[in-house]
Amino acid sequence: FNRGLLASGGGTADRTIKFWNTVSGTVTNSIDTGSQVCSLVWSNHQRELCSSHGFSENQLILWKYPTMTKIQELKSHTARVLNMEMSPDGRSVVSVGADETLRFWDVFGPPPQSRRRERFLMGDFQCP
């Protein structure tokens, strides 16, 4: 949705997500997350970004882009979240923590077209 946009996460001291214009090489926005940023995953279907964190909260945060409003905080890991990967359908992510656990999260949900189809299959004949 934004050609030339790059998001990067900072470490324990920095704690920010920075958005870069890759054409000009400039930072277009920076948000302090309050904790170490370990990984970032963009939604395939929405203008949303999921970040994973280490010290001090060990959580995942779902953000609305470009306002960077927190949509949801997901807490379950007891140590730093090392990495995240998105499922092939783009609905969920799996996170791996330094606590030696994998967690599966339904973060992004179905794409908008699938949501309409699911409503129809469930008997909701309301026009979109």
Side-chain angles (χ1 to χ4, degrees):
F1 55 84
N2 244 354
R3 183 169 289 190
L5 173 67
L6 173 70
S8 65
T12 305
D14 183 51
R15 307 177 324 180
T16 63
I17 297 173
K18 287 184 174 47
F19 296 92
W20 301 81
N21 177 322
T22 60
V23 175
S24 66
T26 59
V27 174
T28 59
N29 192 12
S30 180
I31 179 123
D32 187 346
T33 66
S35 61
Q36 174 188 26
V37 181
C38 297
S39 61
L40 300 168
V41 175
W42 286 100
S43 169
N44 291 338
H45 313 299
Q46 307 292 332
R47 290 183 176 224
E48 295 172 350
L49 175 72
C50 188
S51 58
S52 71
H53 300 269
F55 182 79
S56 65
E57 297 296 325
N58 306 318
Q59 87 273 38
L60 278 65
I61 301 176
L62 182 61
W63 305 89
K64 187 71 177 169
Y65 181 82
T67 62
M68 293 308 287
T69 305
K70 279 186 192 179
I71 297 171
Q72 188 174 16
E73 287 190 54
L74 305 161
K75 297 182 178 184
S76 184
H77 286 286
T78 58
R80 180 169 56 117
V81 182
L82 300 171
N83 196 22
M84 289 185 300
E85 291 296 330
M86 190 178 331
S87 63
D89 66 3
R91 295 175 73 145
S92 57
V93 298
V94 61
S95 59
V96 58
D99 58 4
E100 300 181 356
T101 63
L102 292 173
R103 303 277 190 233
F104 294 85
W105 310 90
D106 185 16
V107 176
F108 299 120
Q113 188 174 25
S114 293
R115 288 182 188 142
R116 276 190 235 117
R117 190 175 332 125
E118 286 174 4
R119 280 199 311 260
F120 179 78
L121 292 174
M122 291 172 52
D124 182 1
F125 295 103
Q126 193 174 28
C127 293

